[in-house]
Every structure is written in C-alpha cells, then in structure tokens.
Amino acid sequence: MALLKILQYPDKRLHTVAKPIETVTDDIRRLAADMAETMYAAPGVGLAATQVDRHIRMIVIDVSEDKNHLLTLINPVILAKDGEVVHEEGCLSVPGIYEPVTRAEHIKVRALNLDGLTYQFEAEGLLAICVQHEIDHLDGKVFVEYLSRLKQDRIRTKLVKQQRETM
Ligand code: NI
C-alpha cells in the first residue's frame, strides 16, 4: 500500500469530470486500498479518486468513530434525496477551511463494491453529507464552489499563499 498525493485547491485537475469504471480489476482494488490508507493517514472521512489525480468514479468513506467502517463506492449514483441540512464542511484538498454548505438530508445511493457487485443503501447525517461531497469531486466540483464569489476568492488567495510558503 502507498500514501497518495492529494491535489490541493485551486489545482485545475480538481475540476476534471471522472469517468465510470467499466470493470473492477485488481488495479482498481489496489487504488481503493491506497486511497483508504491516504484518507485514514490525513486524517479524513472521505476521499474521491479525483483528489489523487485518478479521474475515475470511485470514492472511499469512513465516518465511524472507530475508523473501522470503510465504504468503497464505485460509480455511485444518488437515486433519491430529500430534506435539507446545513453542515460545516471541510476537505482534504482545501486544508484549514471549514464553511457551511446546504445538502440533502437523506439520500438513497447505488454503487458497485470492490467485487463489482451492485449495492444500495440509504444514508442520513454525516454519511449522507459525505457521499454528496465526494460525488461532487467526481463531477469536478469542490465544496467551496457553493460559497459566495467573495469567499471563494479569499480561500483561493489564502491557499495559494500557503502552498507557496510550504514549497
Ligand atoms: Ni473533499
């Protein structure tokens, strides 16, 4: 297993729309394991392949307290959503920034697992928020894009400065 480099906003590659995975191969399973390791090490509760510069539709999520409930979602689709919830979100690609975002409160999701089998589940709370946040990544969208133009500009300036200082 290996730790992967996480792209940092405002890297343009974060705006790539990821392609569906046609077959779940050993390479895909290896990438999923590396993504999970990278997410746990960060530490974070979710990571999309987009964030490690692999533009295929796969995300890993673990919102459990004991970090023992890893979910891998391949080609995830939101089948239904309802309600509304506002939660302060953060992102491993946008370090140090936490801002409120409005999302659906309940969702029904369909995805493939690492055996290539379809599964379906309903989610609410942090899991529902996280799934929506990560699917956005696969569509090339970073959570700061829900904020005002002014806030986005401030965040971009701050991160560019941070990245310059740590280079
Ligand atoms: Ni994120």
Side-chain angles (χ1 to χ4, degrees), residues 71-139:
L71 282 173
T72 304
L73 282 72
I74 295 169
N75 301 341
V77 179
I78 294 176
L79 300 172
K81 51 169 95 179
D82 68 78
E84 217 177 73
V85 65
V86 180
H87 182 78
E88 196 153 285
E89 295 187 17
C91 178
L92 294 176
S93 292
V94 195
I97 305 292
Y98 300 90
E99 293 286 348
V101 176
T102 305
R103 304 266 187 197
E105 190 176 15
H106 301 101
I107 56 172
K108 189 193 241 184
V109 187
R110 185 180 63 209
L112 299 180
N113 65 17
L114 287 171
D115 296 318
L117 301 172
T118 301
Y119 70 110
Q120 219 169 284
F121 64 96
E122 288 183 27
E124 57 179 14
L126 186 57
L127 179 59
I129 291 163
C130 195
V131 169
Q132 293 171 80
H133 175 119
E134 301 308 331
I135 290 177
D136 271 356
H137 276 302
L138 300 181
D139 293 327

